Amino acid sequence: GNMAEGGHYYNEHDDRAGAPYRGRKGQGSHRARSYGEGPRRDRTRGGHQANYTGPGPRSRLDDMDADVTMSDNSQDGTSQRRSKPYSRPYRRGDGRFDRDRRGGRGGGGYKGDGGGGGRGGGGGGGNSRAKQTCGAETLILVFQIPHGRKYDKKWLMTALQNICSVPFNPVNYNVDNYRAHFYVDDVATATALHKCSHKITDADGYKVEVHMNASGPPAFLQSDLKPEDLELLKQCMGKRFDGSQQALDLNTLRTDPELVSQNIDVILNRKTTMEAVIKIIEKEIPELVSLNLSNNRIQKLDDLSNLVGKVPNLKTLNLSNNELKSDRELDKIKGLKLGELWLEKNPLSNSFKDQASYIRSVTPQTDGQDLPPPIVFDVETPTVIPACKGSCFGSDEIKAIILRFLQQYYSIYDSGDRQSLLDAYHDGASLSMMTPYSTQNPSRSSLGEYHKDSRNLKRVKDTTLRYRLLKHTRLNVVAFLNELPKTQHDTASFNVDVNTYTVLTTCLFSSVTVEGKSRDSTMAFSRVFVTVPAGNSGLCIVNDQLFIRMATTEEIRKAFVAPAPTPSSSPVPTLTAPQQEMLSAFSLESVQPQVRHTYWYWWECRKVLSFSL
Amino acid sequence: MEPGVFGCFGPSPAVPGPSDFKTHADQSCRYAEEFVNIYYDCMDKKRRNLTRLYLDKSTLVWNGNTVSGQDALNEFYETLPSSEFQVYTLDCQPVHEQATQGQTTILVVSCGVVKFEGNKQRFFNQNFLLTAQATPNSEQPVWKIASDCFRFQDWQS
């Protein structure tokens, strides 16, 4: 009976048993359907040509099912109707999938998945196969009920549903030879169903086994669309067509509610579906001007190239948010002579070295005609950062005050006695400092002097220690500053960034300081002062935060550019000409007396005055 | 951590009184740490939400460029390439009450490295003034950035 025929069938197709099914007609169509269309079936039944006749095959299916199932449930066609969109007649050469041999799985999708472990005809549905994923497509989980053929489908489904914790909808329930097969398409349901194995006892006293395989989408999901589906697709496309603009919007077509509600799977990265869409365009709207195919997981443009010559008015093509990987794809549609081509959010844009070559590559061949190149919209993410500028004072008034303040501050700071800095600080001022974590032995460099006071919250976690490292009140602040090593700053080139908030001004600046003759003693720092107004034109420091690190080679190089000044006992470092100039720029006379805010500023010293100890 | 309301973080039932400097200092550390996490996480992964952390009229000084107000900040951060920040050092201080006329404010200073897409990795220094804004319906204040100053360490190269 069936077995023999099945055997015959198998012999016929054995050589294909393990072969990848990809490319039999493009995108890996499968023949995973085994339902009812067993070897007894006349394979030429309505399937080879595209003229599907709905009822025809189905009635045969009904017959078949009536033969093999014991209930009459399938005869009402409901099960078939459920699988209606997916059942697919044979194409030439597409034979029945060797389901029994391989556990009847749908070809494993694009990876040529061979299906379930070699089960014999008799239904030991052992899932020895590892699950395979199917690339871009969803995972479809196949269930097989060995000996399921003998069960009343309704009985079986009901029994399963009764014990299954998750409601499930078996897709494409069918029976072949000895097994019943159906699909579910989400893992949660599949897992719950799988647990139902051996939980139901049939009338013969045997436990019903429920075997699960993962699979790529079976053939019936990847098949050509049936005529009625094509009609629905056409209607759907019609609704997405704007006649006034001659624009067709197929963005994310797959999720179109009309298609989804009819269980029509329109996946444009499948050759068959894209072909169908192209044909509809050719036939119905050849005057198309604008076509949007974004968000359709399109990987290849082979089918789209069929539009060349068929849609002469097409000027705009949107292929953004797809999966085009190679610029060679674009070659296929050069003939379209587009004016605009949208390609962002495709992997392919990464393969171009620069925008120019990208644009060049999509410029259509014009046979010598001078057409303007298409406008390629490839909205890359920005990679240009704004240009860095120097000091940002906000106004000349502020600048004068701040520079004056800093000059005074640092002349004291570098003098060897910082006590008089008390006047610069608010009573309730705070100071803390931090050094970067360094793998270098800290004691070898001057930076080591600062490590013990480093209040890096990323490293110091103890609350008490954190508090101790924060110097509070100006007395403590200045006492601490007095303990720090003697320094020499270059006040000449300070880079100061000023920002204000109410009466507060923050000032970020960085500087290079030398504390000794050796390279190890050249450090750089960034400092933040937060100040409030004081007096007429003064500043009063409320917060002082100091970050000290080793100077970079570049900074050191620049630091020692200035010639060594003659030693001087004056606490004020000898000024170079530019420095003199700067100082005179804000002599007391030029300082505006009306100052409402105090400003903090950071100076960045680029040069260090070298000195002899 | 994800603040329930952007800009609001840290379960601070009440702003400590002026005499309680230590509490203020301790809490500031917590706020600073949380803030830095949120800020750089937003900067790197949810850039569109970043400006919600700023006061309406706050100003950012970014490598010498001044960016003022929400609109300008939105535009600035939109065109700024995507970023990967790593903060290596972090410090904070409460800003003295007298200076802020009672509005709780903290200074946060961070240093680290940043890689903007298409650019080399660079060291940066950044400081913020964060201010606690009272909300009418809640005991918890909403913290917002009042001022933000950012500069590459090697901005000249």
Side-chain angles (χ1 to χ4, degrees), chain A residues 61 148 229 267 279 335 488 497 552 589 609:
Chain A
L61 197 62
D229 299 340
I267 301 176
K279 283 205 171 62
Q488 195 69 38
D497 287 330
T552 63
E589 293 84 56
L609 299 174

mmCIF file with all atom_site columns, all heavy atoms in Angstrom, chain A residues 61 148 229 267 279 335 488 497 552 589 609:
data_model
loop_
_atom_site.group_PDB
_atom_site.id
_atom_site.type_symbol
_atom_site.label_atom_id
_atom_site.label_alt_id
_atom_site.label_comp_id
_atom_site.label_asym_id
_atom_site.label_entity_id
_atom_site.label_seq_id
_atom_site.pdbx_PDB_ins_code
_atom_site.Cartn_x
_atom_site.Cartn_y
_atom_site.Cartn_z
_atom_site.occupancy
_atom_site.B_iso_or_equiv
_atom_site.pdbx_formal_charge
_atom_site.auth_seq_id
_atom_site.auth_comp_id
_atom_site.auth_asym_id
_atom_site.auth_atom_id
_atom_site.pdbx_PDB_model_num
ATOM 1  N N   . LEU A 1 61  ? -7.269 16.150  -1.158  1.00 0.00 ? 61  LEU A N   1
ATOM 2  C CA  . LEU A 1 61  ? -6.713 16.096  0.193   1.00 0.00 ? 61  LEU A CA  1
ATOM 3  C C   . LEU A 1 61  ? -7.757 15.548  1.134   1.00 0.00 ? 61  LEU A C   1
ATOM 4  O O   . LEU A 1 61  ? -7.481 14.754  2.013   1.00 0.00 ? 61  LEU A O   1
ATOM 5  C CB  . LEU A 1 61  ? -6.279 17.502  0.587   1.00 0.00 ? 61  LEU A CB  1
ATOM 6  C CG  . LEU A 1 61  ? -5.328 17.609  1.756   1.00 0.00 ? 61  LEU A CG  1
ATOM 7  C CD1 . LEU A 1 61  ? -4.041 16.917  1.453   1.00 0.00 ? 61  LEU A CD1 1
ATOM 8  C CD2 . LEU A 1 61  ? -5.084 19.072  2.038   1.00 0.00 ? 61  LEU A CD2 1
ATOM 9  N N   . GLY A 1 148 ? 0.234  8.709   14.307  1.00 0.00 ? 148 GLY A N   1
ATOM 10 C CA  . GLY A 1 148 ? -0.857 9.665   14.413  1.00 0.00 ? 148 GLY A CA  1
ATOM 11 C C   . GLY A 1 148 ? -1.922 9.460   13.369  1.00 0.00 ? 148 GLY A C   1
ATOM 12 O O   . GLY A 1 148 ? -3.019 9.982   13.469  1.00 0.00 ? 148 GLY A O   1
ATOM 13 N N   . ASP A 1 229 ? -4.720 34.270  -3.339  1.00 0.00 ? 229 ASP A N   1
ATOM 14 C CA  . ASP A 1 229 ? -3.787 35.081  -2.563  1.00 0.00 ? 229 ASP A CA  1
ATOM 15 C C   . ASP A 1 229 ? -3.177 36.171  -3.408  1.00 0.00 ? 229 ASP A C   1
ATOM 16 O O   . ASP A 1 229 ? -2.960 37.299  -2.945  1.00 0.00 ? 229 ASP A O   1
ATOM 17 C CB  . ASP A 1 229 ? -2.676 34.206  -1.984  1.00 0.00 ? 229 ASP A CB  1
ATOM 18 C CG  . ASP A 1 229 ? -3.220 33.154  -1.051  1.00 0.00 ? 229 ASP A CG  1
ATOM 19 O OD1 . ASP A 1 229 ? -4.351 33.327  -0.562  1.00 0.00 ? 229 ASP A OD1 1
ATOM 20 O OD2 . ASP A 1 229 ? -2.509 32.161  -0.826  1.00 0.00 ? 229 ASP A OD2 1
ATOM 21 N N   . ILE A 1 267 ? 6.619  37.781  1.783   1.00 0.00 ? 267 ILE A N   1
ATOM 22 C CA  . ILE A 1 267 ? 7.971  38.096  2.218   1.00 0.00 ? 267 ILE A CA  1
ATOM 23 C C   . ILE A 1 267 ? 8.764  38.444  0.979   1.00 0.00 ? 267 ILE A C   1
ATOM 24 O O   . ILE A 1 267 ? 9.048  37.596  0.146   1.00 0.00 ? 267 ILE A O   1
ATOM 25 C CB  . ILE A 1 267 ? 8.587  36.885  2.942   1.00 0.00 ? 267 ILE A CB  1
ATOM 26 C CG1 . ILE A 1 267 ? 7.718  36.540  4.138   1.00 0.00 ? 267 ILE A CG1 1
ATOM 27 C CG2 . ILE A 1 267 ? 10.000 37.192  3.372   1.00 0.00 ? 267 ILE A CG2 1
ATOM 28 C CD1 . ILE A 1 267 ? 8.160  35.317  4.872   1.00 0.00 ? 267 ILE A CD1 1
ATOM 29 N N   . LYS A 1 279 ? 5.432  41.253  -11.030 1.00 0.00 ? 279 LYS A N   1
ATOM 30 C CA  . LYS A 1 279 ? 4.479  40.984  -12.121 1.00 0.00 ? 279 LYS A CA  1
ATOM 31 C C   . LYS A 1 279 ? 3.256  41.867  -11.986 1.00 0.00 ? 279 LYS A C   1
ATOM 32 O O   . LYS A 1 279 ? 2.719  42.378  -12.972 1.00 0.00 ? 279 LYS A O   1
ATOM 33 C CB  . LYS A 1 279 ? 4.070  39.514  -12.103 1.00 0.00 ? 279 LYS A CB  1
ATOM 34 C CG  . LYS A 1 279 ? 5.101  38.585  -12.673 1.00 0.00 ? 279 LYS A CG  1
ATOM 35 C CD  . LYS A 1 279 ? 4.465  37.287  -13.210 1.00 0.00 ? 279 LYS A CD  1
ATOM 36 C CE  . LYS A 1 279 ? 5.463  36.433  -13.975 1.00 0.00 ? 279 LYS A CE  1
ATOM 37 N NZ  . LYS A 1 279 ? 6.593  35.976  -13.159 1.00 0.00 ? 279 LYS A NZ  1
ATOM 38 N N   . GLY A 1 335 ? 19.923 49.505  -14.857 1.00 0.00 ? 335 GLY A N   1
ATOM 39 C CA  . GLY A 1 335 ? 19.094 49.815  -16.008 1.00 0.00 ? 335 GLY A CA  1
ATOM 40 C C   . GLY A 1 335 ? 17.836 50.583  -15.674 1.00 0.00 ? 335 GLY A C   1
ATOM 41 O O   . GLY A 1 335 ? 17.125 51.038  -16.559 1.00 0.00 ? 335 GLY A O   1
ATOM 42 N N   . GLN A 1 488 ? 55.364 75.405  39.184  1.00 0.00 ? 488 GLN A N   1
ATOM 43 C CA  . GLN A 1 488 ? 55.593 76.509  38.266  1.00 0.00 ? 488 GLN A CA  1
ATOM 44 C C   . GLN A 1 488 ? 54.612 76.362  37.118  1.00 0.00 ? 488 GLN A C   1
ATOM 45 O O   . GLN A 1 488 ? 54.630 75.363  36.394  1.00 0.00 ? 488 GLN A O   1
ATOM 46 C CB  . GLN A 1 488 ? 57.045 76.464  37.753  1.00 0.00 ? 488 GLN A CB  1
ATOM 47 C CG  . GLN A 1 488 ? 57.484 77.740  37.086  1.00 0.00 ? 488 GLN A CG  1
ATOM 48 C CD  . GLN A 1 488 ? 57.613 78.879  38.093  1.00 0.00 ? 488 GLN A CD  1
ATOM 49 O OE1 . GLN A 1 488 ? 58.064 78.683  39.234  1.00 0.00 ? 488 GLN A OE1 1
ATOM 50 N NE2 . GLN A 1 488 ? 57.217 80.059  37.693  1.00 0.00 ? 488 GLN A NE2 1
ATOM 51 N N   . ASP A 1 497 ? 37.419 77.796  29.867  1.00 0.00 ? 497 ASP A N   1
ATOM 52 C CA  . ASP A 1 497 ? 36.020 77.620  29.484  1.00 0.00 ? 497 ASP A CA  1
ATOM 53 C C   . ASP A 1 497 ? 35.151 78.095  30.622  1.00 0.00 ? 497 ASP A C   1
ATOM 54 O O   . ASP A 1 497 ? 35.248 77.584  31.739  1.00 0.00 ? 497 ASP A O   1
ATOM 55 C CB  . ASP A 1 497 ? 35.716 76.156  29.188  1.00 0.00 ? 497 ASP A CB  1
ATOM 56 C CG  . ASP A 1 497 ? 36.322 75.700  27.879  1.00 0.00 ? 497 ASP A CG  1
ATOM 57 O OD1 . ASP A 1 497 ? 36.472 76.533  26.967  1.00 0.00 ? 497 ASP A OD1 1
ATOM 58 O OD2 . ASP A 1 497 ? 36.656 74.506  27.768  1.00 0.00 ? 497 ASP A OD2 1
ATOM 59 N N   . THR A 1 552 ? 51.564 64.707  28.755  1.00 0.00 ? 552 THR A N   1
ATOM 60 C CA  . THR A 1 552 ? 51.879 63.866  27.602  1.00 0.00 ? 552 THR A CA  1
ATOM 61 C C   . THR A 1 552 ? 53.196 64.341  26.985  1.00 0.00 ? 552 THR A C   1
ATOM 62 O O   . THR A 1 552 ? 53.672 65.440  27.264  1.00 0.00 ? 552 THR A O   1
ATOM 63 C CB  . THR A 1 552 ? 50.789 63.965  26.538  1.00 0.00 ? 552 THR A CB  1
ATOM 64 O OG1 . THR A 1 552 ? 50.736 65.315  26.059  1.00 0.00 ? 552 THR A OG1 1
ATOM 65 C CG2 . THR A 1 552 ? 49.432 63.561  27.102  1.00 0.00 ? 552 THR A CG2 1
ATOM 66 N N   . GLU A 1 589 ? 43.194 99.017  34.933  1.00 0.00 ? 589 GLU A N   1
ATOM 67 C CA  . GLU A 1 589 ? 42.364 100.071 34.335  1.00 0.00 ? 589 GLU A CA  1
ATOM 68 C C   . GLU A 1 589 ? 41.307 99.492  33.416  1.00 0.00 ? 589 GLU A C   1
ATOM 69 O O   . GLU A 1 589 ? 40.237 100.052 33.246  1.00 0.00 ? 589 GLU A O   1
ATOM 70 C CB  . GLU A 1 589 ? 43.225 101.055 33.515  1.00 0.00 ? 589 GLU A CB  1
ATOM 71 C CG  . GLU A 1 589 ? 44.187 101.882 34.337  1.00 0.00 ? 589 GLU A CG  1
ATOM 72 C CD  . GLU A 1 589 ? 45.468 101.118 34.587  1.00 0.00 ? 589 GLU A CD  1
ATOM 73 O OE1 . GLU A 1 589 ? 46.104 100.696 33.613  1.00 0.00 ? 589 GLU A OE1 1
ATOM 74 O OE2 . GLU A 1 589 ? 45.802 100.924 35.764  1.00 0.00 ? 589 GLU A OE2 1
ATOM 75 N N   . LEU A 1 609 ? 57.372 77.715  32.017  1.00 0.00 ? 609 LEU A N   1
ATOM 76 C CA  . LEU A 1 609 ? 58.608 78.449  32.177  1.00 0.00 ? 609 LEU A CA  1
ATOM 77 C C   . LEU A 1 609 ? 59.588 77.562  32.899  1.00 0.00 ? 609 LEU A C   1
ATOM 78 O O   . LEU A 1 609 ? 59.339 77.118  34.006  1.00 0.00 ? 609 LEU A O   1
ATOM 79 C CB  . LEU A 1 609 ? 58.349 79.722  32.990  1.00 0.00 ? 609 LEU A CB  1
ATOM 80 C CG  . LEU A 1 609 ? 57.376 80.700  32.363  1.00 0.00 ? 609 LEU A CG  1
ATOM 81 C CD1 . LEU A 1 609 ? 57.099 81.822  33.330  1.00 0.00 ? 609 LEU A CD1 1
ATOM 82 C CD2 . LEU A 1 609 ? 57.939 81.228  31.063  1.00 0.00 ? 609 LEU A CD2 1
#
